[in-house]
Amino acid sequence: MPVLSVIVPFYNVEKYIGPCLDSIAAQTLGDLEVICVDDGSGDGGPAVVEARQADDSRVSLIRQANMGVGRARNVGVRRATGRYLAFVDGDDTVPRDAFKRLVTSLESTGSDLACGNVMRLYRNLLVPSWAHREAFAKPVKSTHITRHPLLIRDRMLWNKVYRRSFWERLGLSFPERMYEDQPVAMAAHVGARSVDVLASIVYHWRQRDEPGSSITQRCLEPDNLRDRLLSVLETASLLGRGAPALKPDFDRDTLDIDMAVAVEAMAAMGTTADPALLDMIVRYLDGVSREAWQSIPFAQRLQVHLLHQRRLGELAYVFTQDRCGQLQPRVGAAGLLRRRWYARHPSMPPHLSEVSGELAPVARLVDLDWRDSVLCGAGRVAVGRFDVGELRRMRVRVWLEERRTGATIPLSDEESAPTWENVVQEDGGALPEHAFPFRFAFDPAVLTPAQLARRGRWDLRVQLRGQGLRLEGRVAGPRWLPPLIPAPRRRSGVWLVPVRSAKGAWGLRLRKARAIIGECRVDGGDLVFSGEITDIGDGEPVLRLRRRSDGEEMYFPVTLAGRDFHARVPLADIDESVGHESWWEVVIDQGTPIRPLVRTGQRPIATVAARRFLVDRGEDGCLLLAER
């Protein structure tokens, strides 16, 4: 009898099933059986499994007609002989030590269930799974979901190893529909006597990019929505009976995720929507507490409320308004001693209208440049996506704040009245914005010798205050939109570098520079730049591009003539973008890395072979190449 039975259901994943089985075969826990269940695949996936079966006696293959992953898993469990059970989807992979870590933990603690952290796998890029990041930040042995409530987000089946006797004691089995894993995973968490939580990564959850390739990518289809709602109702009932204190946490996530899908689907269906689907939604929402309702943003709350009230015509209109950026309800205050803030909308009842907790400044620059050695800027600060007409006039304060010391440099503090303006978006469209304009000026002469010597990082911050409201935050905006980042200036041997973070936040970086790029342009599909190195060193320099997301590196030649350097990077040769954006840091390597400061104010954008590149500056003023 093997220690572990691994059940692998698969359907039309020929491209991925090989790497999946390779990752299981490479496990440091060798005493396992791998039960592959073909759910009626129409591609070459079964042949891939047969090839692995011929090479590895631990692998077996079961075939069935296409009856769904729930049935396939149940069939696999019935065939399993191990003391422990694990599940792996046929398009995912498992880190080499995953099963050994999970089984070893169960052997040492006697818990019923061990679960671990997860990474999302997109092509060859691994990023943390948002659903698991907090719950698995620290290891916890012999706990329970009622003592570790963040596990309410751990609703997936496959980042776990289950004690077989525990599985049978609870009589767990999968519903034969989509979204079958959530009720089983939650039943296991609630029914376990104790659970081990591992901070180690134990699963790579693939995000597939083929259209219609997964259940979640077909989430707006009526059958898909029905199965999702069935799992929501089943899980809500389970928690209501077995762990009622956890239901508000479950409802917060469900309102945010599942009900957002329901809103979009039902808004699209309109009057043609199946009444049975609407009945299921209403039945679930009838049991949601006011506290959970308040956990989602106003615009989303309004749409879910209209869905709950079966007002599908209004829902479709409001949904379109929201998507087009036209849903901007007026915000106002009530109360004297304890002022609270509410959004006004004719379709929203007062008890669901409070927005005190979601008011936040959204500040962006519309202009930034050096004028007579003074850095002058103009911007706008909004209060989320609300009409702020009732606020009339507010004071807007702008300052620079040094990260390490907290020292501040005041830039402006003026009264402002809100104005409407159409704001250009990254897709080229425009959305109306009601915001408070502001201006500021920074004279480098105010920097003290000590501040210059520290060569620190200064964040550009803004505060909006008045009428009992005080909001503050960083000034930011979409990275790919104007204004351009001004060129750096030098003072007392220190470069003052206006910078913008990868998330669009503005600031000032004080630094020295061993290499300076004076020219940067795109020439015939090549990124061409040149400059000067203050210390040429002994070795031949090479240009190194390093991708921020995963550390992938590429190398290109650098031509050196005295202290002058020249480099040419064919953009078509850059590795394909991974994820929504790829950011490449540019380093000149002479045995020690030199991060060249970009002195020019140019910001070329180029399209090469249908790929769009942005040549920009990073948070330290160095050359940054982005693709999206």
Side-chain angles (χ1 to χ4, degrees):
M1 180 176 69
V3 170
L4 177 68
S5 296
V6 183
I7 292 122
V8 185
F10 68 96
Y11 173 74
N12 287 350
V13 288
E14 178 182 1
K15 179 179 177 181
Y16 304 111
I17 188 65
C20 172
L21 294 180
D22 289 344
S23 74
I24 298 172
Q27 290 294 302
T28 52
L29 176 69
D31 190 7
L32 52 81
E33 63 178 357
V34 186
I35 303 169
C36 301
V37 185
D38 171 25
D39 186 34
S41 296
D43 63 1
V48 175
V49 177
E50 287 175 338
R52 295 302 193 282
Q53 187 179 16
D55 294 334
D56 190 340
S57 61
R58 298 175 300 174
V59 178
S60 62
L61 174 63
I62 303 172
R63 296 176 183 268
Q64 67 174 33
N66 181 227
M67 292 181 283
V69 67
R71 169 72 70 88
R73 287 194 179 119
N74 288 333
V75 167
V77 170
R78 287 195 292 270
R79 176 72 67 90
T81 61
R83 295 202 308 274
Y84 298 98
L85 295 174
F87 300 88
V88 177
D89 283 352
D91 51 356
D92 298 333
T93 62
V94 187
R96 179 175 169 79
D97 292 327
F99 291 146
K100 186 171 184 179
R101 292 178 186 274
L102 292 163
V103 169
T104 299
S105 182
L106 292 176
E107 295 279 4
S108 65
T109 64
S111 292
D112 292 322
L113 166 64
C115 46
N117 213 337
V118 176
M119 298 287 277
R120 292 304 308 262
L121 174 60
Y122 181 77
R123 299 184 187 174
N124 64 340
L125 175 66
L126 287 169
V127 296
S129 164
W130 71 269
H132 300 87
R133 187 167 45 223
E134 291 183 78
F136 295 91
K138 295 180 181 179
V140 187
K141 296 294 182 72
S142 300
T143 186
H144 190 263
I145 192 171
T146 54
R147 301 191 297 276
H148 190 46
L150 286 171
L151 290 174
I152 198 69
R153 289 185 172 174
D154 182 39
R155 304 176 200 173
M156 294 76 171
L157 186 75
W158 25 244
N159 61 324
K160 303 170 177 64
V161 164
Y162 308 81
R163 194 176 293 276
R164 177 66 177 271
S165 58
F166 157 71
W167 186 276
E168 293 175 346
R169 174 170 59 83
L170 286 190
L172 294 175
S173 66
F174 296 96
E176 296 186 2
R177 61 170 189 263
M178 293 178 280
Y179 301 99
E180 76 298 327
D181 51 350
Q182 175 177 286
V184 175
M186 284 292 98
H189 266 306
V190 172
R193 286 170 290 208
S194 67
V195 173
D196 296 342
V197 175
L198 280 63
S200 305
I201 304 299
V202 302
Y203 201 80
H204 295 160
W205 176 19
R206 189 181 299 277
Q207 179 179 336
R208 292 161 60 184
D209 53 7
E210 308 97 298
S213 60
S214 68
I215 290 170
T216 51
Q217 288 176 322
R218 306 193 306 271
C219 61
L220 301 182
E221 297 172 2
D223 288 347
N224 188 302
L225 179 60
R226 182 197 65 241
D227 285 358
R228 178 191 285 263
L229 293 171
L230 285 170
S231 285
V232 164
L233 287 167
E234 189 173 333
T235 306
S237 176
L238 166 74
L239 293 172
R241 296 190 312 270
L246 293 173
K247 189 167 182 299
D249 294 320
F250 169 78
D251 287 336
R252 289 187 193 98
D253 285 345
T254 302
L255 287 172
D256 185 38
I257 301 169
D258 302 277
M259 289 300 108
V261 172
V263 161
E264 184 174 359
M266 299 302 280
M269 295 176 199
T271 56
T272 67
D274 183 351
L277 285 177
L278 193 54
D279 288 345
M280 293 167 70
I281 293 167
V282 171
R283 188 159 77 249
Y284 166 70
L285 292 174
D286 282 344
V288 173
S289 68
R290 181 174 175 179
E291 174 193 11
W293 275 99
Q294 286 293 146
S295 69
I296 55 175
F298 179 87
Q300 192 174 347
R301 196 186 321 152
L302 170 61
Q303 292 169 68
V304 177
H305 168 71
L306 291 172
L307 185 58
H308 188 206
Q309 297 297 308
R310 303 176 187 265
R311 292 150 67 178
L312 298 188
E314 288 180 71
L315 170 63
Y317 176 71
V318 171
F319 178 80
T320 301
Q321 267 195 316
D322 187 38
R323 279 295 177 93
C324 297
Q326 303 291 333
L327 181 62
Q328 298 198 27
R330 177 163 288 206
V331 67
L336 295 176
L337 296 178
R338 186 171 179 267
R339 178 160 287 202
R340 311 301 292 171
W341 296 86
Y342 297 86
R344 324 288 189 193
H345 192 281
S347 297
M348 186 69 116
H351 74 277
L352 292 178
S353 296
E354 185 175 346
V355 293
S356 302
E358 64 181 278
L359 297 185
V362 179
R364 62 183 179 87
L365 293 184
V366 296
D367 183 59
L368 185 69
D369 207 354
W370 294 100
R371 298 185 180 94
D372 296 327
S373 300
V374 174
L375 187 63
C376 299
R380 294 168 59 81
V381 55
V383 182
R385 288 174 60 178
F386 293 104
D387 178 334
V388 291
E390 288 190 23
L391 300 182
R392 300 183 187 88
R393 302 188 70 84
M394 302 279 281
R395 291 202 71 85
V396 181
R397 181 167 73 94
V398 184
W399 71 98
L400 285 168
E401 183 173 306
E402 192 175 26
R403 287 188 192 178
R404 187 158 58 90
T405 67
T408 61
I409 298 175
L411 301 181
S412 67
D413 190 347
E414 299 176 343
E415 196 173 69
S416 179
T419 61
W420 284 99
E421 180 180 298
N422 284 328
V423 178
V424 177
Q425 305 298 302
E426 288 186 276
D427 61 4
L431 294 180
E433 175 191 73
H434 205 204
F436 297 88
F438 62 84
R439 292 185 173 275
F440 65 88
F442 166 67
D443 186 347
V446 303
L447 289 166
T448 68
Q451 288 171 338
L452 287 167
R454 284 199 296 267
R455 300 199 289 274
R457 297 174 183 265
W458 296 75
D459 296 324
L460 184 62
R461 299 188 65 84
V462 64
Q463 181 190 75
L464 187 66
R465 70 186 189 277
Q467 302 186 49
L469 189 67
R470 183 183 293 259
L471 305 170
E472 71 174 56
R474 295 186 67 178
V475 179
R479 174 84 192 208
W480 290 63
L481 291 182
L484 299 180
I485 305 174
R489 294 290 179 94
R490 201 172 186 184
R491 181 175 180 81
S492 301
V494 177
W495 287 99
L496 312 180
V497 189
V499 293
R500 202 174 190 180
S501 74
K503 295 185 178 180
W506 289 93
L508 190 70
R509 176 78 164 93
L510 278 55
R511 59 163 294 187
K512 296 281 190 177
R514 294 176 57 195
I516 297 173
I517 294 175
E519 181 191 28
C520 185
R521 57 192 172 86
V522 175
D523 177 32
D526 293 351
L527 169 62
V528 178
F529 58 91
S530 58
E532 182 182 355
I533 299 177
T534 58
D535 181 4
I536 61 174
D538 298 325
E540 285 294 323
V542 65
L543 186 71
R544 174 158 54 92
L545 269 62
R546 181 182 181 277
R547 188 160 55 199
R548 281 182 169 181
S549 58
D550 58 3
E552 179 72 19
E553 293 188 346
M554 300 187 69
Y555 297 87
F556 299 89
V558 174
T559 302
L560 193 61
R563 295 182 185 278
D564 296 331
F565 69 87
H566 178 84
R568 179 178 287 267
V569 177
L571 294 176
D573 292 349
I574 301 294
D575 283 356
E576 184 181 357
S577 177
V578 175
H580 179 58
E581 293 182 344
S582 280
W583 297 88
W584 295 88
E585 297 173 338
V586 179
V587 174
I588 297 174
D589 201 327
Q590 272 190 304
T592 57
I594 301 172
R595 301 172 64 80
L597 173 68
V598 183
R599 186 174 184 180
T600 173
Q602 296 165 315
R603 188 175 180 243
I605 296 178
T607 299
V608 178
R611 299 169 64 185
R612 185 170 180 244
F613 294 93
L614 168 69
V615 182
D616 210 344
R617 285 207 300 272
E619 286 191 77
D620 56 0
C622 295
L623 188 60
L624 198 65
L625 179 63
E627 181 186 3
R628 64 177 312 181

